[in-house]
Amino acid sequence: MRHYLLAETNWKNIRDVKFDLAILPWGATEAHNYHLPYSTDVIEADGIAAESAKIAWEKGVKIIVLPAIPFGVNTGQKDILLDININPSTQFAILNDIIEVLNRQKIYKLLILNSHGGNDFKSMLRELGLRFPQMLLTTCNWYQSIDKSAFFENPGDHADEMETSLILHLAPGLVLPLPEAGEGKEKKNKIKAFNEGWVWTERKWSQISADTGVGDPRRATKEKGKKYFKALTEKLSDLYIELAKCDLKDLYE
Ligand SMILES: [Zn+2]
C-alpha cells in the first residue's frame, strides 16, 4: 500500500494528513503503432507519477497522486478505431470540478502530469486561475523534461523508441515483438513553416502515418527505458519537492 497514491491508500491513513501538493496524471486511450497498447500514455502517466512521488514522499514531502484520467484529446485521430476523444471543453469541466474539491479542502497546489501531446492545459489553467485565485495551478509534459537524445537513437513523438523502451520497462507483457512494429514514418506538411515549428495546425493522423506511429521504435530496449525512467522520475521528484515547499505568497525573486 503506497500512501501517496489515492487509489491505494485509505481514509484511516490519510484523514489527518495535510497534503501540500496534488498530482493529476493525465493520459489518453489511442493506437500506438502496431506494437504498443492503447493504454500506453496511461501506463506511462501512472508509472512515472508513482515512482517520482515515491522518491519525494520518502524525503518527507506530503504529496498525493490522484488516479490518472485515461482519456485525452484525440480530435486528430477521429478515424482511427477506438481512439477515444474527449474534447478540451470536457477536460476543462473535469479540471474545474477536481480543482473545486482541492480548493475547498485547502490543498492549494496542483500539478497536472501530462502524458499525451494532444492535451494542452495551459489556457484552461489560465481561466481556472481566475476562478480559484488561491490555487497554484501547474502543468508539465514529462516527455519534455529531459533531453531524450541522450538516451535514444531515433527521434519521434508517438509510439517511438522512447515510448517503446518505457513500456518495455513498465509493462513488457503488453508489447508485441519489435519486428511486428511499423517503421513510424511521418509525412511532413508541404508548407514549410509548419515544420519550422512557428506555425501550428493539427496533424491529421491517418494521413501523416501509415501505422499511427511517429518515430522509428525498432531500436527500443528495456534497458534504455529503465535508464530514462530513472533520470525522469528523479528530475520530477525534485520538482514536486520544490512545489510542495514553495511559499505561495513569495514565488518570485
Ligand atoms: Zn503516447
Side-chain angles (χ1 to χ4, degrees):
M1 199 182 294
R2 296 169 287 182
H3 293 306
Y4 45 89
L5 302 183
L6 187 59
E8 291 189 11
T9 192
N10 51 61
W11 194 45
K12 184 176 183 207
N13 267 306
I14 66 163
R15 66 180 179 176
D16 297 321
V17 178
K18 160 103 190 60
F19 289 105
D20 291 314
L21 171 68
I23 294 167
L24 178 62
W26 205 310
T29 297
E30 57 174 350
H32 270 75
N33 198 322
Y34 298 127
H35 64 294
L36 291 180
Y38 271 67
S39 62
T40 291
D41 291 359
V42 181
I43 294 168
E44 292 163 350
D46 271 335
I48 292 164
E51 179 62 22
S52 49
K54 176 176 183 246
I55 300 169
W57 182 266
E58 285 172 354
K59 291 179 179 167
V61 176
K62 294 291 177 237
I63 51 182
I64 190 76
V65 178
L66 309 183
I69 310 277
F71 302 127
V73 173
N74 277 82
T75 44
Q77 288 97 348
K78 59 183 182 291
D79 49 354
I80 295 175
L81 184 66
L82 286 173
D83 276 20
I84 307 295
N85 174 56
I86 64 170
N87 283 319
S89 51
T90 313
Q91 290 188 316
F92 182 91
I94 292 170
L95 266 180
N96 180 74
D97 291 356
I98 292 172
I99 292 168
E100 196 169 58
V101 173
L102 298 175
N103 186 66
R104 186 169 60 239
Q105 300 185 353
K106 300 187 171 57
I107 300 170
Y108 289 125
K109 296 169 180 172
L110 170 68
L111 173 69
I112 302 171
L113 186 68
N114 179 38
S115 209
H116 170 63
N119 296 339
D120 183 1
F121 299 106
K122 272 164 69 177
S123 56
M124 298 177 201
L125 295 188
R126 289 179 192 275
E127 188 168 340
L128 289 163
L130 287 179
R131 283 192 199 177
F132 300 100
Q134 280 182 286
M135 296 284 308
L136 176 67
L137 302 174
T138 68
T139 178
C140 92
N141 299 327
W142 59 256
Y143 45 86
Q144 291 172 329
S145 65
I146 50 177
D147 180 11
K148 288 200 309 187
S149 68
F151 299 83
F152 306 104
E153 293 159 67
N154 291 313
D157 63 40
H158 185 69
D160 59 352
E161 182 181 327
M162 179 273 276
E163 279 202 295
T164 304
S165 298
L166 264 186
I167 302 299
L168 282 170
H169 172 57
L170 294 170
L174 300 182
V175 184
L176 289 180
L178 289 185
E180 293 184 40
E183 60 185 341
K185 198 168 163 6
E186 180 191 16
K187 282 191 188 165
K188 299 286 186 188
N189 198 304
K190 287 178 182 167
I191 299 167
K192 206 173 85 201
F194 289 111
N195 304 313
E196 291 172 355
W198 60 283
V199 189
W200 179 88
T201 185
E202 184 172 74
R203 288 176 286 182
K204 301 296 175 203
W205 219 265
S206 55
Q207 294 173 39
I208 61 136
S209 170
D211 49 38
T212 83
V214 172
D216 190 340
R218 292 172 295 185
R219 302 196 85 98
T221 67
K222 198 183 180 108
E223 292 67 35
K224 286 179 184 175
K226 188 177 175 190
K227 219 170 131 196
Y228 177 69
F229 182 76
K230 186 168 185 290
L232 184 63
T233 50
E234 279 169 3
K235 183 155 186 187
L236 285 168
S237 73
D238 289 342
L239 169 68
Y240 303 166
I241 293 166
E242 282 197 283
L243 284 172
K245 290 186 175 164
C246 76
D247 178 353
L248 292 181
K249 295 193 180 70
D250 186 22
L251 275 177
Y252 304 101
E253 58 186 11

